[in-house]
Amino acid sequence: IPGVMSFKLSYYNEYKSYLRMPENGVKVASAPSDGNAKGVPAKSKAELKAERRAIQEAQRAAKQRQREQQQPQNNTKPVQKKPQKQQQNHSSPNEEKSSIVKTNNTSSNVEILSHLKQYSKDSHPTRELSFSSSPVHPAFVRLGIQYAQEIVVGSNARCAALICAVKSLVSKYSCPKMKDLRSHLNVVLKHNFQYLDRCRKVSVSMENFIKHIKFFISERNPEDNQKDMKDGIMEECDRYFKESIYLAAEAISELATKRIEDGDTILIFNRSQLVVKILLDAHKSGKKFRVMVTDSRPDLRGILACERLTAAGIPVSYIYINSVTYAMTEVTKVLLAAEALLANGYVIGPVGTGMISLVANTYNIPVIVCCETYKFSERVQTDSILFNELADPCDILSNVRSDVAWQNHPNLHLVNLVFDATPPKFISIVITEVAELPCSSAPVILRKQLNTCY
């Protein structure tokens, strides 16, 4: 999926090509009644249990006699069935390519992280779906696989892709007769959102969009026809993307560019489309500065940021996060992106953000965080344990020999946390599309959003 800044509304057309799902549901056979006949005296539980056991034994004996009678007449039948089973077993490797078996990850064995769900790239999210009667739309099926395989990463990109999937679902939605349009559409969306959460934990940006679109549907006039309702929802999705993601990034870039001066050495962490856009815009405005990209395993996405910045002619240095203490002596500003900003001022970012902020605060270097207001959350958190995400622990051992079976070691548990929480005392300022604010002003933005939207 393209980045936030290069993301165009024409990307919605990609989700219009989806699989056709059969409309007929699966018929469920009615269960036989177990009532007693009239006039028969009631029996105790022990007597009923004994009668059922006797009937089962008689049925087993009758089936065994029937097999013994048919075996001498049809000697070829058992021989023909075995090759069929073998053929099915021989075809299983092809099936395994399409349905990946989930690995045995042991991060959940750590007691302090037992409440977090363990995600794995080897898990196949479509295994639990029934393609004949599944309520999940094909666009959401595809998006869930992209989330699980980390093809679509980043809070802005994930939210933009979710908007595309919602538009694709709404465009083909048809309300059944004798059903309320608003309530039925909310139920359909709920099943699809739950599927995405099973594939990968929903981000704060996605949560806010889900709340917004549900509230928008509930506030629609119940007398509107289906076409007007669908057109209104799709227009609202376009407006949300344009104002909350695209124009917000433009406003943040304009404010953050003013903070960059000639001769600065700016340290960034990992890869953020918003931060890269700010640096590119500052370079286009004629400012001369140097960038130091800090990266960490196992993703190493900072290499992608280096490629874009060096292609634009910006001097770039690339270091690992374990060298940040040594490199901080040359840095003048730290520019970071946020996954979310909580109500108590804590910043949720990629794991390692808190460490870089701590080191920068020790060296009295300003830490600037860029965050759109649609990523603000009412949640309160003071650590990285209560709410977090566990990625595939096998990614940590990507450079280790394949013959090392770490799963067989009972005392070895691999933990691959995705995010961490940075205290507000380490953050100098937060730049949003509204204004430049301290972390303590997060409740003001949340109160304004509640008054205007809800």
Side-chain angles (χ1 to χ4, degrees):
I1 185 170
V4 175
M5 297 308 106
S6 60
F7 189 88
K8 302 298 182 182
L9 293 178
S10 59
Y11 182 74
Y12 293 143
N13 297 328
E14 183 180 351
Y15 281 85
K16 292 183 179 180
S17 57
Y18 60 90
L19 301 175
R20 293 184 177 179
M21 299 172 59
E23 298 179 357
N24 296 329
V26 179
K27 295 183 178 180
V28 181
S30 58
S33 60
D34 293 334
N36 294 330
K38 294 182 179 180
V40 179
K43 298 181 180 180
S44 63
K45 293 183 179 180
E47 293 175 349
L48 293 173
K49 185 175 181 181
E51 288 182 359
R52 288 195 298 268
R53 186 174 299 173
I55 293 173
Q56 291 175 357
E57 293 294 337
Q59 290 176 351
R60 293 194 189 97
K63 289 181 180 179
Q64 183 65 24
R65 288 194 300 269
Q66 187 176 2
R67 292 195 195 96
E68 293 175 356
Q69 293 175 1
Q70 292 179 356
Q71 187 172 2
Q73 298 176 1
N74 302 323
N75 292 328
T76 59
K77 288 184 179 180
V79 179
Q80 291 177 356
K81 290 181 180 178
K82 291 181 180 179
Q84 292 178 0
K85 294 181 179 179
Q86 293 177 359
Q87 290 177 1
Q88 293 177 359
N89 294 332
H90 287 305
S91 63
S92 60
N94 295 329
E95 296 176 358
E96 289 177 358
K97 294 180 181 179
S98 59
S99 59
I100 308 172
V101 181
K102 190 172 181 180
T103 57
N104 294 325
N105 298 327
T106 59
S107 295
S108 58
N109 294 335
V110 181
E111 184 177 357
I112 195 174
L113 302 174
S114 59
H115 62 285
L116 299 178
K117 182 178 179 180
Q118 176 67 69
Y119 294 90
S120 173
K121 292 181 181 178
D122 294 335
S123 62
H124 202 282
T126 60
R127 173 171 295 181
E128 300 177 358
L129 298 180
S130 174
F131 288 95
S132 60
S133 60
S134 174
V136 182
H137 191 270
F140 280 83
V141 174
R142 177 187 176 187
L143 184 60
I145 296 174
Q146 292 175 341
Y147 285 167
Q149 299 296 328
E150 295 186 2
I151 299 173
V152 179
V153 293
S155 56
N156 287 333
R158 291 176 66 187
C159 185
L162 176 61
I163 295 174
C164 296
V166 171
K167 288 194 64 178
S168 180
L169 184 148
V170 173
S171 63
K172 302 299 181 182
Y173 169 76
S174 179
C175 182
K177 295 182 179 180
M178 306 302 293
K179 292 283 187 179
D180 181 64
L181 179 61
R182 297 180 303 172
S183 60
H184 185 265
L185 182 57
N186 273 323
V187 171
V188 173
L189 290 173
K190 180 181 178 181
H191 290 299
N192 289 270
F193 294 149
Q194 289 176 348
Y195 165 75
L196 291 181
D197 189 68
R198 291 197 301 268
C199 297
R200 186 182 174 187
K201 186 177 177 60
V202 176
S203 63
V204 173
S205 59
M206 296 169 62
E207 286 180 358
N208 291 336
F209 170 71
I210 291 172
K211 293 178 183 178
H212 178 82
I213 200 65
K214 285 185 175 181
F215 178 79
F216 178 81
I217 295 173
S218 62
E219 290 296 312
R220 295 286 296 183
N221 189 355
E223 298 180 358
D224 290 346
N225 56 31
Q226 182 170 313
K227 184 178 182 303
D228 293 340
M229 175 77 76
K230 292 167 62 175
D231 292 342
I233 295 173
M234 297 179 70
E235 291 176 0
E236 182 64 19
C237 290
D238 290 337
R239 188 200 63 80
Y240 190 90
F241 168 79
K242 184 178 180 180
E243 296 182 1
S244 299
I245 300 179
Y246 184 77
L247 295 180
E250 294 287 343
I252 292 173
S253 178
E254 183 178 354
L255 293 174
T257 302
K258 298 177 181 179
R259 291 272 179 176
I260 300 176
E261 300 175 354
D262 292 335
D264 276 343
T265 300
I266 302 173
L267 185 140
I268 66 174
F269 177 60
N270 211 310
R271 175 191 177 234
S272 170
Q273 291 288 349
L274 180 58
V275 172
V276 171
K277 175 183 170 51
I278 293 171
L279 297 175
L280 293 176
D281 291 346
H283 179 71
K284 290 178 182 178
S285 64
K287 296 184 178 181
K288 297 181 180 180
F289 54 91
R290 186 165 66 96
V291 178
M292 191 172 295
V293 179
T294 309
D295 209 353
S296 64
R297 295 181 63 249
D299 296 330
L300 297 177
R301 296 195 180 100
I303 299 176
L304 301 176
C306 290
E307 293 176 353
R308 291 196 60 187
L309 295 176
T310 53
I314 301 176
V316 177
S317 301
Y318 182 83
I319 62 172
Y320 281 146
I321 194 172
N322 53 355
S323 305
V324 68
T325 305
Y326 170 78
M328 196 63 71
T329 56
E330 304 177 10
V331 176
T332 58
K333 292 182 178 68
V334 176
L335 191 61
L336 302 174
E339 181 77 12
L341 184 61
L342 305 184
N344 60 343
Y346 274 69
V347 175
I348 303 298
V351 62
T353 304
M355 173 183 171
I356 293 177
S357 303
L358 173 62
V359 174
N361 184 74
T362 304
Y363 282 83
N364 294 323
I365 296 173
V367 179
I368 304 172
V369 175
C370 302
C371 182
E372 299 89 339
T373 55
Y374 87 104
K375 295 180 183 178
F376 283 41
S377 175
E378 302 91 349
R379 194 172 63 203
V380 175
Q381 182 176 341
T382 57
D383 55 53
S384 305
I385 305 300
L386 185 59
F387 296 101
N388 209 318
E389 183 179 334
L390 289 176
D392 193 348
C394 295
D395 294 342
I396 302 177
L397 300 179
S398 58
N399 297 327
V400 182
R401 301 194 317 269
S402 59
D403 58 345
V404 178
W406 59 271
Q407 295 92 341
N408 299 330
H409 294 275
N411 297 325
L412 177 61
H413 306 291
L414 299 183
V415 178
N416 188 8
L417 288 174
V418 179
F419 305 112
D420 65 4
T422 303
K425 63 180 180 180
F426 298 151
I427 308 299
S428 303
I429 197 170
V430 177
I431 300 179
T432 67
E433 69 271 23
V434 178
E436 297 178 353
L437 306 170
C439 293
S440 57
S441 298
V444 179
I445 301 297
L446 291 172
R447 191 182 307 113
K448 180 180 177 181
Q449 290 178 346
L450 291 175
N451 293 334
T452 56
C453 298
Y454 307 110

